[in-house]
Amino acid sequence: MAFILAVTGSAVGLGNIWKFPYIAGQNGGGAFVLVYLLCVFVIGMPVMMSEILIGRRGRRNPVATMALLGEEEGHARHWQWVGAMGVIAGICILSYYSVVAGWTLAYVQKSLSGAFAGASPAEVRGIFEGFSGNLLQSSLVHTLFMGVTILVVARGVERGLEQAVKFMVPALLILMLVLLAYAINSGGFGAGLTFMFDPDWEALTIGAVLAAMGQAFFTLSLGMGALMAYGAYLPQETSITGTSAAVILADTVFAVLAGLVIFPLVFANGLNPSEGPGLVFGTLPLAFGRMQGGAFFAAVFFVLLSFAAWTSAIGLMEPAVAWLVERYHRTRAQAAVMVGGLIWLLGFGTVLSFNVLSQFRFLRGTVYDNVDWFTSNVMLPLGGMLITVFAAWVMCRNSSADELGGAGKLYRLWRFLARFVAPLAIAFIFLRTVGVLG
Ligand code: TRP
């Protein structure tokens, strides 16, 4: 149970409520959402099981686990580079995740101040742009969020985390349902539903398919060794299959709910679904602003979302911290300060992307756009593919069957998905993206 809670805490976060709606909006909804769901179940499930089983077998940080198992299973230590890539991906992801979590924290105060009461769409948007556009304010909240995260990781997290998740996930669910009730009556629900589930396959680009796959990895915390690091603490008798299924289900519920709340608000207010990272911050306050007791609900909502972000942030730091502790014999506190300090510094790339450097664009857009695109759409799927190949091709049958509770029907299904479907699908999408397969 503790393990399910920890993994759910890492999975449910800004990825579901902030990122999923805005990425779905940028990629045209409908077809994107269905590809995303397909990726979650067909690729996400076998990758998650592979990652956890490797973690439990290695019982070390991701780098050491991959090195050890690589050797043990008769091959090479080079597999440690998969772990190393995960450490780097976690650091890069948290660098921007912390900035967005900082916005969330700031929105607690904004909610309480009554800034959203009866505000128009333009005013709500102005509040977001004013805040993210303010270098000093967004630096402060990013610093605050990283500070708290470092503190908790430094002191050894596990106990507090469980309690937080046990309370936060159901409470967040209830508030999402309150928002859903509002969205159903907002006048835009039909349009929102159509946008989310009516696919226009013609308009689906390979870029959108890649983004859907990247989002699936991101939201499930896959492909960077985080679940490997968590798996290292998993008791031998816990079912990896059952845990993975439960986490994936919970995570999907939150993402779909977020879409069902946000898109109706977008259409009821004549907003643009593809406006980008500000989407959630420009829509949810509209609903709260018109609700009885909205200031209170809004504040509670953003507190819970900050909690959700924080339980994910801990998971994002874990591979790097565990690696420093085990490899260089640092104390947990030293490792947390070093890793967290680096992440804090890198975070200014994202802070500045929304103000001073907002016009500085290259490749995919701002500095933030590039870090996000490269980590989610390249590093995580690549990491996930290698992890799955390792679990299903390199590790011998006995080892994986041992971890997955014997070689029954479910085991054979996992092995088929992990050997063929997941790696080939990921490779196919990559190759299409770079134009190799036309
Ligand atoms: N899944 C998290 C979210 O949806 C983000 C995330 C990505 C993450 N990779 C992770 C969290 C690794 C913890 C560990 O918000």
Side-chain angles (χ1 to χ4, degrees):
M1 194 59 195
F3 181 76
I4 296 192
L5 285 172
V7 179
T8 308
S10 96
V12 174
L14 297 172
N16 306 64
I17 286 160
W18 159 72
K19 198 172 178 200
F20 169 72
Y22 105 70
I23 298 279
Q26 280 183 334
N27 287 285
F32 170 93
V33 174
L34 297 177
V35 174
Y36 161 79
L37 291 173
L38 197 72
C39 288
V40 162
F41 291 103
V42 178
I43 302 179
M45 181 79 187
V47 174
M48 185 179 282
M49 291 167 66
S50 303
E51 198 167 330
I52 299 175
L53 86 83
I54 291 174
R56 184 161 73 183
R57 210 149 182 90
R59 294 232 184 263
R60 283 164 177 75
N61 72 76
V63 184
T65 285
M66 291 305 284
L68 175 82
L69 293 186
E71 214 155 31
E72 242 177 45
E73 301 279 343
H75 294 259
R77 288 180 69 86
H78 294 315
W79 286 98
Q80 68 184 319
W81 293 105
V82 178
M85 182 169 75
V87 167
I88 296 169
I91 289 172
C92 294
I93 291 175
L94 188 51
S95 81
Y96 71 77
Y97 203 87
S98 164
V99 176
V100 180
W103 297 344
T104 311
L105 276 177
Y107 267 54
V108 176
Q109 185 266 326
K110 296 214 177 299
S111 307
L112 290 173
S113 76
F116 304 138
S120 69
E123 285 165 340
V124 166
R125 197 190 160 84
I127 292 174
F128 174 72
E129 284 177 353
F131 189 82
S132 59
N134 185 314
L135 175 57
L136 182 66
Q137 288 182 341
S138 42
S139 304
L140 278 178
V141 287
H142 162 56
T143 305
L144 179 64
F145 184 83
M146 268 325 289
V148 173
T149 305
I150 291 171
L151 224 105
V152 172
V153 172
R155 312 188 72 194
V157 283
E158 290 69 25
R159 271 160 297 131
L161 188 72
E162 248 173 75
Q163 295 306 319
V165 177
K166 221 185 253 173
F167 161 80
M168 177 264 300
V169 170
L172 194 59
L173 184 66
I174 292 172
L175 271 181
M176 294 298 290
L177 292 173
V178 170
L179 282 168
L180 180 65
Y182 178 86
I184 289 175
N185 297 308
S186 66
F189 197 65
L193 268 188
T194 307
F195 182 79
M196 257 185 94
F197 293 115
D198 189 11
D200 177 2
W201 296 112
E202 300 283 294
L204 186 71
T205 61
I206 186 64
V209 174
L210 180 67
M213 176 170 77
Q215 175 61 19
F217 276 91
F218 183 88
T219 193
L220 298 175
S221 311
L222 294 177
M224 48 152 284
L227 300 190
M228 223 183 263
Y230 281 16
Y233 302 103
L234 183 63
Q236 201 58 41
E237 62 278 5
T238 311
S239 158
I240 291 177
T241 313
T243 305
S244 304
V247 170
I248 289 180
L249 212 68
D251 189 83
T252 305
V253 166
F254 276 96
V256 170
L257 265 178
L260 287 177
V261 168
I262 285 161
F263 291 118
L265 290 171
V266 165
F267 295 110
N269 292 287
L271 299 173
N272 178 3
S274 64
E275 73 150 69
L279 186 66
V280 182
F281 297 98
T283 48
L284 294 188
L286 290 171
F288 289 124
R290 295 171 200 170
M291 233 177 242
Q292 276 296 333
F296 169 74
F297 280 131
V300 175
F301 176 83
F302 287 113
V303 166
L304 291 171
L305 189 55
S306 308
F307 257 113
W310 174 70
T311 56
S312 298
I314 291 167
L316 282 162
M317 266 180 86
E318 189 55 33
V321 170
W323 174 70
L324 274 184
V325 169
E326 290 170 25
R327 175 77 172 72
Y328 294 100
H329 307 292
R330 298 289 170 177
T331 64
R332 242 189 117 77
Q334 286 171 333
V337 170
M338 288 197 272
V339 173
L342 174 65
I343 292 170
W344 175 74
L345 268 181
L346 292 175
F348 283 91
T350 292
V351 168
L352 292 167
S353 296
F354 292 88
N355 38 65
V356 178
L357 295 181
S358 64
Q359 295 313 314
F360 173 60
R361 281 157 194 270
F362 58 105
L363 303 174
R364 323 285 328 172
T366 59
V367 172
Y368 158 71
D369 291 321
N370 281 291
V371 176
D372 169 43
W373 187 86
F374 192 72
T375 48
S376 291
N377 296 0
V378 179
M379 292 177 94
L380 299 187
L382 185 64
M385 180 167 88
L386 294 171
I387 284 167
T388 320
V389 164
F390 185 82
W393 288 96
V394 177
M395 282 174 78
C396 71
R397 227 186 142 87
N398 289 343
S399 315
S400 55
D402 204 27
E403 294 298 330
L404 295 180
K409 260 209 188 91
L410 271 177
Y411 174 78
R412 285 202 298 276
L413 178 62
W414 166 76
R415 198 165 155 93
F416 174 70
L417 290 174
R419 292 197 114 190
F420 303 105
V421 179
L424 288 176
I426 297 167
F428 176 78
I429 296 171
F430 273 150
L431 292 176
R432 278 296 292 259
T433 305
V434 295
V436 173
L437 296 176

